[in-house]
Amino acid sequence: MNTPNHLPSSKSTTAAAGAAVNTPAVPPAATGNAVAQDRRREQDVSVRVAHSILAGFDRHYGLFRYNAQQAKRCFESANWLGIRKLARERIEYYDKRVVEAIADLESHFEEEQLQDDIWQAVKRHYIGLLANHKQPELAETFFNSVSTKVLHRTYFHNDFIFVRPGVATDYLDAKPSSYRVYYPATCSEVNFKNSLKQLVIDVGFSCPFEDIDRDLGFLAKALVEVFDESFQTAGDFQIQVLRGLFFRNKGGYIIGRIINDSEVTGFAIPVLMNEKGQLFLDTILVGSERIETLFNFSRAYFMIDMEVPSAYVRFLSTLMPAKPDSELYTMLGLHKQGKTLFYRDLLQHLNHSHDPFNLAPGIKGLVMLVFTLPSFPYVFKVIRDKRRKDMTREYIQGRYQLVKLHDRVGRMADTWEYSNVPFPKDRIHPDLMKELLDTAPSSFEIEGNTLVIKHLYIERRMIPLNIRIEQVVGDEKTRLMREYGDAIKQMVAANIFPGDMLYKNFGVTRTGRVVFYDYDEVQYLTDCNFRKIPEPRTPEDEMSSEPWYNIGPNDVFPEEFATFLLGKPELRTAFMANHPELLDYQYWQAKQKDIRAGHFDDVFPYSPDLRFSNRYPALSQP
């Protein structure tokens, strides 16, 4: 919708015309009545617009919850392809509902009824509608999404949209509460087991367990190992568990916390399914660090049925205090809310910092211009105008969308995509400004003291793997090469071929995990043609600098990886000790065959050593 801004209304135009021809004066009472009628009409329109936008949001969130309910059914029937399909579809729900909401406004209101001067009243009435709403913060973000399609960006401030939240969610919760509470009498295996049994019953799975008594025994034993003999129970000793199950890929997760003397210990219990369709509790992850691995930015979003999402975020924040709310909302599948909170965090940070935006360290990308703010742990990526001719802007955006919709298996960084983002021009380093002018002039505009970037991606900042490899020695270098190969194998398990496998396209997180973040050349593994390099026909072939064989557009020759990846002996030794099969075309072909047959490798978001079958092997035997 292209609503004109700052245009005079038809009323003022008519009045001006009347004055020019000396029309008879209108009695004051009649004028007052006309003004009052206009105000009532404007108020009526603003109320109806507010109701229309909220109805669009309510439809969106109803479908969001239905999606999570369907995920539980897919999990219980071992429909793994169905879960992946639901995860992909849900990401696209939001934008579709925004388009529908705008179409609804266009069909019920005339363009002149949606002038900018009415939008403040619309926002005011909208806030009133949220007084008893269960998802007010999400509804505000939906309002912003609709409003920014209607208004010019000069109106993107708090008078017209929710730059700041309008409704508090601090104590908002559902009835019954978002979490259940259990009270073990003491910290013992028997008491833990009794409480955990009720906990599992309350979850309400519709399929049988393989051996629930065995698994509850493992849970109780693991908890007693955490809370040793020196642990003293206090009067508030209790277990709290979120009512909704967290579904992703082939697992369901029970998320909870143990409270004792006001101390909070978080835990997560992965629930998996065996080949017979029976459930089993795979392990228990205790403590912030292990729970954070489930909510890492390189993993796919959870599907979970929540009536009050802010209550879930509040609960999760006590388990992972270092995790910003923007990332928690994102991992709950509410990525638009995550974007809203991230942008608020960025604005807040800019108000309290002074360092300039700089080009990111590392080798410059041929497709993306990457810059960062040193005091802020993220990078900003802009598509260059000067790039390979076969790399169209639409193609690159399609690659990033492919990854967004796909299972990232903990090895591909999530991105937030933004349009028309303003940056203070005086915070842009001259070198960055020169790079923007030289290689991406169509991607930004300058408006006074503001540089507006038309389209960019934002990711968590990592140390490029090529830089990190040079910084470390010995066992750490070996570990990084093992991590690098593991990252590739786990992407392969998710049917992703990274394309460009150079170290510069991978990053190292603060926990030392290797993650892929350059998506310009990603494609589905099943779209590739993995081949062995043909034997040379003649000595001239062998000495030639050019291939003596035909190469198709999707042909990949794995044995060539060693040439550009393993030139240094220490890197080659570490790689070949762990991942020699990655240089064999038959390995890749076998993985393609498995994926086409519907077989998906398990990729656990925790160490296999933590699984009960490995922790208590003697007790795991039937």
Side-chain angles (χ1 to χ4, degrees):
M1 181 187 301
N2 297 313
T3 305
N5 300 290
H6 280 318
L7 292 179
S9 68
S10 57
K11 300 187 297 293
S12 59
T13 305
T14 303
V21 296
N22 297 316
T23 54
V26 179
T31 303
N33 289 336
V35 170
Q37 288 175 357
D38 286 343
R39 287 177 178 171
R40 283 195 293 272
R41 278 195 294 268
E42 288 183 0
Q43 182 177 20
D44 176 64
V45 169
S46 62
V47 169
R48 288 164 54 209
V49 169
H51 275 281
S52 178
I53 296 174
L54 186 58
F57 168 75
D58 288 340
R59 171 173 165 74
H60 159 68
Y61 199 71
L63 290 170
F64 181 92
R65 293 189 66 182
Y66 179 70
N67 176 277
Q69 294 159 12
Q70 292 295 102
K72 184 173 187 291
R73 295 188 183 97
C74 285
F75 175 79
E76 292 171 336
S77 60
N79 183 2
W80 313 131
L81 286 174
I83 284 184
R84 292 191 174 196
K85 182 173 182 289
L86 287 170
R88 287 194 303 271
E89 291 175 346
R90 189 184 62 176
I91 291 173
E92 298 176 325
Y93 278 179
Y94 188 90
D95 289 336
K96 289 179 179 179
R97 300 295 86 76
V98 170
V99 170
E100 288 175 2
I102 293 172
D104 187 67
L105 290 177
E106 290 176 329
S107 66
H108 289 90
F109 301 93
E110 299 296 329
E111 190 171 284
E112 59 269 17
Q113 291 180 302
L114 299 175
Q115 296 292 321
D116 301 330
D117 56 1
I118 201 175
W119 219 255
Q120 286 178 288
V122 173
K123 181 187 173 186
R124 192 163 55 248
H125 291 302
Y126 196 82
I127 291 174
L129 296 176
L130 299 181
N132 295 309
H133 205 278
K134 297 296 186 182
Q135 307 94 32
E137 77 283 24
L138 308 186
E140 290 176 359
T141 291
F142 191 85
F143 180 92
N144 287 354
S145 297
V146 173
S147 300
T148 53
K149 302 294 185 186
V150 174
L151 305 174
H152 186 270
R153 65 171 172 262
T154 54
Y155 291 85
F156 294 0
H157 53 80
N158 205 58
D159 289 343
F160 294 89
I161 65 173
F162 292 95
V163 176
R164 299 188 302 274
V167 179
T169 61
D170 300 56
Y171 298 98
L172 187 63
D173 204 351
K175 291 184 179 181
S177 172
S178 297
Y179 58 87
R180 299 184 178 95
V181 184
Y182 306 88
Y183 293 92
T186 61
C187 179
S188 69
E189 285 194 32
V190 172
N191 282 300
F192 268 139
K193 188 172 181 179
N194 289 337
S195 293
L196 293 167
K197 182 176 182 179
Q198 187 59 49
L199 181 159
V200 172
I201 291 171
D202 290 341
V203 167
F205 285 113
S206 65
C207 44
F209 275 82
E210 179 182 288
D211 188 342
I212 189 59
D213 285 335
R214 175 202 64 192
D215 294 349
L216 291 174
F218 288 158
L219 280 181
K221 184 176 179 64
L223 285 173
V224 169
E225 289 173 1
V226 173
F227 302 102
D228 57 23
E229 295 178 356
S230 63
F231 181 81
Q232 298 292 319
T233 59
D236 63 347
F237 182 52
Q238 59 192 271
I239 300 174
Q240 300 177 352
V241 177
L242 286 169
R243 289 180 183 274
L245 273 170
F246 290 61
F247 293 102
R248 183 173 62 197
N249 300 331
K250 297 164 71 174
Y253 298 83
I254 300 169
I255 306 292
R257 60 192 177 192
I258 296 173
I259 309 289
N260 191 64
D261 198 18
S262 300
E263 296 270 338
V264 178
T265 303
F267 66 85
I269 303 172
V271 184
L272 305 183
M273 183 175 287
N274 65 19
E275 295 178 353
K276 298 178 181 178
Q278 300 168 322
L279 301 176
F280 62 94
L281 308 180
D282 195 46
T283 186
I284 182 168
L285 308 173
V286 181
S288 296
E289 185 174 336
R290 287 178 175 168
I291 296 174
E292 280 186 12
T293 63
L294 299 179
F295 291 82
N296 189 275
F297 63 87
S298 60
R299 299 197 182 278
Y301 309 143
F302 285 107
M303 288 176 283
I304 177 170
D305 182 16
M306 305 170 287
E307 183 180 7
V308 181
S310 61
Y312 278 70
V313 169
R314 216 164 43 244
F315 188 102
L316 292 170
S317 293
T318 67
L319 314 187
M320 299 169 281
K323 183 78 70 175
D325 285 356
S326 57
E327 292 188 15
L328 292 177
Y329 271 103
T330 299
M331 290 309 299
L332 294 177
L334 301 165
H335 57 286
K336 294 294 183 180
Q337 185 65 19
K339 285 177 60 176
T340 295
L341 294 180
F342 171 84
Y343 189 65
R344 287 172 180 163
D345 289 344
L346 175 60
L347 293 177
Q348 181 79 354
H349 184 84
L350 288 174
N351 287 334
H352 295 86
S353 62
H354 306 284
D355 53 330
F357 289 92
N358 278 309
L359 288 166
I363 300 171
K364 289 183 181 179
L366 299 177
V367 174
M368 287 290 194
L369 185 160
V370 185
F371 64 96
T372 188
L373 187 67
S375 61
F376 199 58
Y378 295 88
V379 295
F380 306 82
K381 304 171 75 169
V382 180
I383 300 174
R384 297 181 187 271
D385 293 341
K386 296 180 179 180
R387 56 184 183 273
R388 279 173 34 190
K389 291 184 178 179
D390 60 333
M391 287 277 188
T392 66
R393 185 175 294 272
E394 292 73 22
Y395 177 83
I396 296 165
Q397 291 175 353
R399 298 300 89 187
Y400 276 77
Q401 184 66 5
L402 183 155
V403 174
K404 171 68 74 174
L405 296 175
H406 204 75
D407 175 17
R408 294 187 295 279
V409 292
R411 294 298 186 175
M412 291 180 279
D414 191 17
T415 58
W416 283 317
E417 186 176 3
Y418 288 84
S419 299
N420 297 318
V421 180
F423 292 87
K425 185 182 172 186
D426 60 358
R427 298 282 294 271
I428 305 296
H429 192 278
D431 291 345
L432 172 56
M433 182 60 76
K434 182 178 185 303
E435 191 77 10
L436 284 166
L437 287 167
D438 289 347
T439 68
S442 72
S443 294
F444 70 93
E445 295 177 352
I446 294 178
E447 299 177 353
N449 295 321
T450 301
L451 182 144
V452 179
I453 296 185
K454 299 176 184 178
H455 183 263
L456 82 163
Y457 297 96
I458 301 176
E459 294 175 357
R460 264 283 183 177
R461 187 168 61 213
M462 293 174 272
I463 302 174
L465 179 59
N466 62 305
I467 293 177
R468 189 59 181 156
I469 284 175
E470 297 301 320
Q471 294 174 340
V472 300
V473 296
D475 291 344
E476 179 59 14
K477 187 165 292 193
T478 299
R479 189 194 71 80
L480 285 175
M481 291 304 295
R482 184 172 61 250
E483 268 283 303
Y484 167 73
D486 286 344
I488 293 172
K489 287 178 177 177
Q490 289 173 12
M491 284 189 283
V492 166
N495 193 26
I496 289 289
F497 178 63
D500 191 344
M501 292 166 55
L502 292 175
Y503 303 138
K504 70 181 182 68
N505 297 324
F506 293 76
V508 182
T509 69
R510 62 182 177 83
T511 59
R513 189 173 179 82
V514 172
V515 173
F516 185 60
Y517 55 55
D518 193 317
Y519 304 143
D520 310 334
E521 298 185 32
V522 299
Q523 55 186 315
Y524 292 118
L525 187 79
T526 47
D527 289 343
C528 299
N529 182 30
F530 293 97
R531 296 174 54 192
K532 178 178 174 59
I533 296 177
E535 294 295 330
R537 299 163 300 184
T538 65
E540 289 75 18
D541 282 349
E542 193 167 6
M543 299 298 293
S544 175
S545 61
E546 298 295 327
W548 58 89
Y549 45 89
N550 294 327
I551 302 177
N554 291 327
D555 285 352
V556 180
F557 301 90
E559 57 198 285
E560 288 185 334
F561 298 163
T563 303
F564 54 85
L565 293 176
L566 307 178
K568 295 183 178 181
E570 56 183 345
L571 298 183
R572 183 180 185 88
T573 299
F575 184 89
M576 295 304 291
N578 295 283
H579 307 294
E581 62 272 26
L582 290 178
L583 305 181
D584 184 354
Y585 75 100
Q586 292 178 319
Y587 166 83
W588 297 86
Q589 289 180 349
K591 290 299 180 184
Q592 286 180 313
K593 184 178 179 181
D594 287 343
I595 291 170
R596 288 176 180 137
H599 301 311
F600 298 98
D601 292 343
D602 291 323
V603 180
F604 298 104
Y606 44 87
S607 170
D609 294 339
L610 296 174
R611 303 185 67 193
F612 287 149
S613 57
N614 295 321
R615 289 174 68 176
Y616 311 122
L619 300 177
S620 299
Q621 301 303 317

